[in-house]
Amino acid sequence: ANYNIQFVLGEGDIVNIAEQPAQWQNADAAIKLLDNAKMPYVLAIGNHDYADEDPSTRDTTAYNSYFGPSRYAQYSWYKGGYPSGTNDNFYAVFTVNGKQYLILALEFVPRDAALDWAKTVLDTNPDKEIIVVTHSFMFTDSTRADQCNNNDIPVSGINQGEDVWQKLLIDYPNLSLVLN
């Protein structure tokens, strides 16, 4: 309240080692502070949040058991995820000082199908200011990521920052911010 915080956005790597249940339990306990305070939040998935820290498998079982749709279902600001039954990609709508914000959480190096889903979400919400949260989009030198710099995912069928910009975000004048 003292800082007038309206919502919290997490950029991924909720845990460091996805196979260590204690890390998920610690993350769950920490985020329950936000639940208890009725503070809206969106947590994007990072490469360390995949099983075996291997995004190429797209195994998000642990992530979704703690931060899947069932955790968010009670909140009016939560609007749904993709693929169905997961929060690998999801969105929320918050109103701050009368202005609506659509927060779009995209998976680490999103698949084409995830971008197609995201386009549908953004197309049906042209009246909202868009904030995108993803784990990897831009390098520290302000250039958009154009290749997977740690070779943890095959290049085909995924989209680095430049791809996400060209295939999706460039078309939305109501996009105000991408966090990564």
Side-chain angles (χ1 to χ4, degrees):
N2 290 344
Y3 294 106
N4 193 28
I5 297 171
Q6 301 292 314
F7 51 85
V8 174
L9 305 175
E11 301 167 345
D13 284 352
I14 298 165
V15 298
N16 190 45
I17 301 172
E19 292 68 44
Q20 293 187 0
Q23 290 191 21
W24 288 109
Q25 292 162 359
N26 288 340
D28 178 50
I31 298 303
K32 279 184 180 168
L33 295 171
L34 297 176
D35 290 324
N36 294 338
K38 302 200 183 334
M39 174 63 63
Y41 59 91
V42 168
L43 303 175
I45 190 168
N47 56 320
H48 286 247
D49 301 321
Y50 291 94
D52 298 319
E53 296 76 56
D54 182 5
S56 66
T57 67
R58 296 293 179 177
D59 183 345
T60 58
T61 304
Y63 167 80
N64 278 295
S65 70
Y66 285 93
F67 299 103
S70 62
R71 184 181 194 117
Y72 292 87
Q74 65 184 325
Y75 300 120
S76 62
W77 44 264
Y78 174 74
K79 301 301 180 187
Y82 175 85
S84 180
T86 78
N87 271 347
D88 295 6
N89 304 274
F90 71 103
Y91 76 109
V93 174
F94 306 128
T95 302
V96 177
N97 298 327
K99 185 171 189 146
Q100 284 195 312
Y101 293 86
L102 185 147
I103 313 301
L104 177 65
L106 292 176
E107 64 193 358
F108 176 69
V109 290
R111 297 165 277 188
D112 287 336
L115 294 186
D116 292 342
W117 169 82
K119 182 173 178 26
T120 301
V121 168
L122 298 182
D123 285 347
T124 57
N125 289 279
D127 58 326
K128 296 169 185 67
E129 190 161 338
I130 300 166
I131 298 173
V132 175
V133 182
T134 190
H135 188 60
S136 177
F137 181 76
M138 197 165 244
F139 292 121
T140 56
D141 67 359
S142 297
T143 60
R144 285 186 286 276
D146 62 356
Q147 64 184 12
C148 194
N149 63 354
N150 56 5
N151 297 319
D152 56 2
I153 206 165
V155 184
S156 115
I158 57 97
N159 293 283
Q160 297 292 333
E162 185 62 27
D163 302 318
V164 172
W165 178 255
Q166 294 298 330
K167 292 181 180 180
L168 178 68
L169 300 178
I170 196 171
D171 294 327
Y172 295 93
N174 52 330
L175 172 69
S176 63
L177 184 63
V178 178
L179 296 171
N180 75 126

